[in-house]
Amino acid sequence: MLKKRVGIEVSLAVAEAVKQARAQVISAYPITPQTHIVEELSTYVANGELDAEFIPVESEHSAMSAAVGAAAAGARVYTATSSQGLALMHEILFIASAQRLPIVMTVANRSLSGPISIWNDHSDIMAERDIGWVQLFVEDGQEATELTIAAFKIAEDHRVLLPVAVNMDGFILTHMIEPVIFPAQATVDKFLPPYKPALKLDPAKPVTMGPVGVPEVYLEAKKQCEQALLDSKAVVAEVLAEAGKTFERKYNLIETNGKKKAKTLFVTMGSLGESVWSAVEGLNEDGEDVGQVRIRLWRPFPVQEFKKACKGAKRLIVIDRAMSPGSVCGPVAQELKTIFYKDKDAPEIVNVIAGLGGRDVPVADFKEMYRLAKKGKLAKTYTLWGVDSNA
Amino acid sequence: MAKKSLCAWQDLALGAAILAPGSAAKLKTGDWRTLIPRLDEDKCIKCGMCELYCPEFCISEGKDGFFRPNFAYCKGCGICANECPKQAIAMVMEEK
């Protein structure tokens, strides 16, 4: 059957995916660049195209709180946010994972103020690294659509039962008009059956969710959640493989592009990966020994899969989209330096923090990064790309 | 290492939920108390305001019509003393 490709803004494609996933409760507060997603969903609900409760709350703190309540009551719950909105959700994000509630949230990644910026980088989600959620990063519109559907399947799996954040770059992905192929509703229904909660608020069978964790139980509660997050890696891999089969694509935890067994590898997360891909293709055509590794699953971090993808590499050029002020380098590079520590064949890790606050990073810049790295001219700590004086 | 946990993490309910209702009754909050309410029966008019305001719901009416707390749960918060319209309840340091 010939699949129909539709030219659509990626935010609207994500809204369509949430509709296809038959979300039952959507609680959201608008914030650029996420607004189009929930605005479209509110239209679906108002038009009767989606049988869901739409809760237009007064803040993101309430959006996540309502999501927690609805998920506790056993509903399939969706929300979306960005930047300051994610920051305002902060305390409730930990509660959602601690109560093992399978909420799905799109984070349209945007820089945090100040200075005030509505543009793209990863500083919002990097400030929320340790919330105990499964965290995925998508690169293009098709992936955003399919992984939004897959996110519900991951979250609701009884081996997981954790919230999932699907990160997509604000503007450079959310506001792109891309060709997207939507799966048939029957295909989605088969892939994602109705949510069956393991535990829910039910007057006929009362339970207390979110009780006090006295010192004699707090640690065990944290351990339970951490173990569920670590164990979720296998389920994410399984669901991504099934999503790949269902939607006729290929999804792994870690992807590789460019020359096989290259000495130098770019490491990317999110949409800048596409520009890096173009740069790597160009460099390969020029005979350069370079490839690319893309991180799709950020939490739990797939250590073995990442190391396997880097096998034989001598140098990693890690592109970070956020700063970690006062630390030694950006957050992704910190992670990688940690996992390779004391490995005999550990690659050299150079870190470039690029494209903060929506600063454009064209393909030529990545080629320049490669040339500088090859000559050993990139800073040993990190390079704040585009800032003239790196002291 | 001293055993300080209530149970193994594997035995906790999902998300540390409490599955049996009414478990708060097992938590004897009386040992939080430093001040104890003392009732002056000459002043007391048996109105029951203390019972209404008690956040622990531990005050109840006795056969003699006076309202007295269950000291297994009374935290000594003093709300009853504060709300008493006849100042019939005094909060005094408890000798332990």
Side-chain angles (χ1 to χ4, degrees), chain A residues 71-390:
Chain A
R76 178 171 285 165
V77 186
Y78 175 81
T79 187
T81 193
S82 185
S83 180
Q84 310 303 116
L86 185 67
L88 188 53
M89 284 181 180
H90 178 73
E91 57 172 310
I92 316 299
L93 297 173
F94 289 82
I95 291 168
S97 57
Q99 294 191 17
R100 309 287 304 274
L101 301 171
I103 297 159
V104 171
M105 172 166 70
T106 301
V107 183
N109 300 114
R110 162 186 149 181
S111 50
L112 279 171
S113 300
I116 297 169
S117 166
I118 60 165
W119 294 279
N120 164 245
D121 66 31
H122 292 172
S123 54
D124 54 3
I125 192 66
M126 285 305 157
E128 308 297 345
R129 260 184 316 180
D130 298 336
I131 52 178
W133 288 43
V134 174
Q135 299 181 27
L136 296 160
F137 277 82
V138 302
E139 211 176 84
D140 61 45
Q142 189 68 40
E143 186 178 352
T145 307
E146 290 165 356
L147 293 200
T148 299
I149 299 168
F152 286 101
K153 195 175 173 76
I154 294 165
E156 293 168 6
D157 191 299
H158 281 205
R159 293 167 293 172
V160 179
L161 289 172
L162 284 170
V164 178
V166 181
N167 289 278
M168 54 191 288
D169 287 298
F171 291 113
I172 61 173
L173 184 55
T174 56
H175 285 53
M176 278 302 123
I177 293 175
E178 291 195 7
V180 173
I181 299 168
F182 290 100
Q185 185 62 52
T187 309
V188 177
D189 289 343
K190 192 165 169 247
F191 175 77
L192 182 68
Y195 167 44
K196 286 201 189 81
L199 191 65
K200 64 171 182 174
L201 295 178
D202 178 358
K205 202 175 170 242
V207 295
T208 305
M209 289 190 185
V212 173
V214 292
E216 294 78 13
V217 82
Y218 184 87
L219 263 171
E220 282 69 24
K222 299 312 277 185
K223 168 67 184 168
Q224 184 201 76
C225 293
E226 191 215 18
Q227 196 62 47
L229 186 63
L230 291 172
D231 294 347
S232 75
K233 186 180 85 172
V235 181
V236 176
E238 193 182 297
V239 173
L240 289 188
E242 196 186 329
K245 234 194 229 160
T246 307
F247 305 129
E248 295 169 29
R249 298 248 292 180
K250 195 173 125 277
Y251 291 120
N252 294 306
L253 305 181
I254 300 289
E255 302 285 358
T256 52
N257 295 331
K259 189 174 175 289
K260 296 263 177 276
K261 295 199 165 84
K263 288 273 180 293
T264 299
L265 293 172
F266 275 98
V267 179
T268 62
M269 210 156 69
S271 295
L272 273 197
E274 293 203 324
S275 305
V276 170
W277 191 348
S278 299
V280 166
E281 274 184 334
L283 288 164
N284 286 163
E285 279 165 22
D286 299 340
E288 296 292 344
D289 193 6
V290 59
Q292 179 187 4
V293 180
R294 292 151 51 200
I295 300 168
R296 180 170 283 127
L297 180 65
W298 167 239
R299 284 290 179 273
F301 193 81
V303 177
Q304 291 83 356
E305 290 80 356
F306 186 85
K307 284 189 174 181
K308 197 177 156 208
C310 296
K311 210 165 163 51
K314 297 286 178 232
R315 181 189 300 119
L316 306 183
I317 305 173
V318 181
I319 310 297
D320 254 300
R321 307 292 321 285
M323 292 175 84
S324 180
S327 180
V328 291
C329 55
V332 179
Q334 283 173 32
E335 189 88 7
L336 302 184
K337 285 182 180 182
T338 305
I339 69 167
F340 281 112
Y341 180 64
K342 286 201 169 171
D343 273 14
K344 273 210 300 284
D345 53 354
E348 177 198 8
I349 292 173
V350 289
N351 185 208
V352 181
I353 299 177
L356 299 195
R359 183 76 61 95
D360 193 24
V361 195
V363 173
D365 282 26
F366 293 108
K367 292 184 174 175
E368 182 63 13
M369 286 174 205
Y370 171 74
R371 279 188 282 272
L372 288 170
K374 201 177 164 186
K375 286 188 215 151
K377 284 194 171 165
L378 284 179
K380 290 225 180 310
T381 50
Y382 62 90
T383 303
L384 200 52
W385 190 254
V387 175
D388 285 339
S389 154
N390 274 304

Side-chain angles (χ1 to χ4, degrees), chain B residues 9 32 36 95:
Chain B
W9 67 267
W32 298 10
I36 189 164
E95 303 284 334

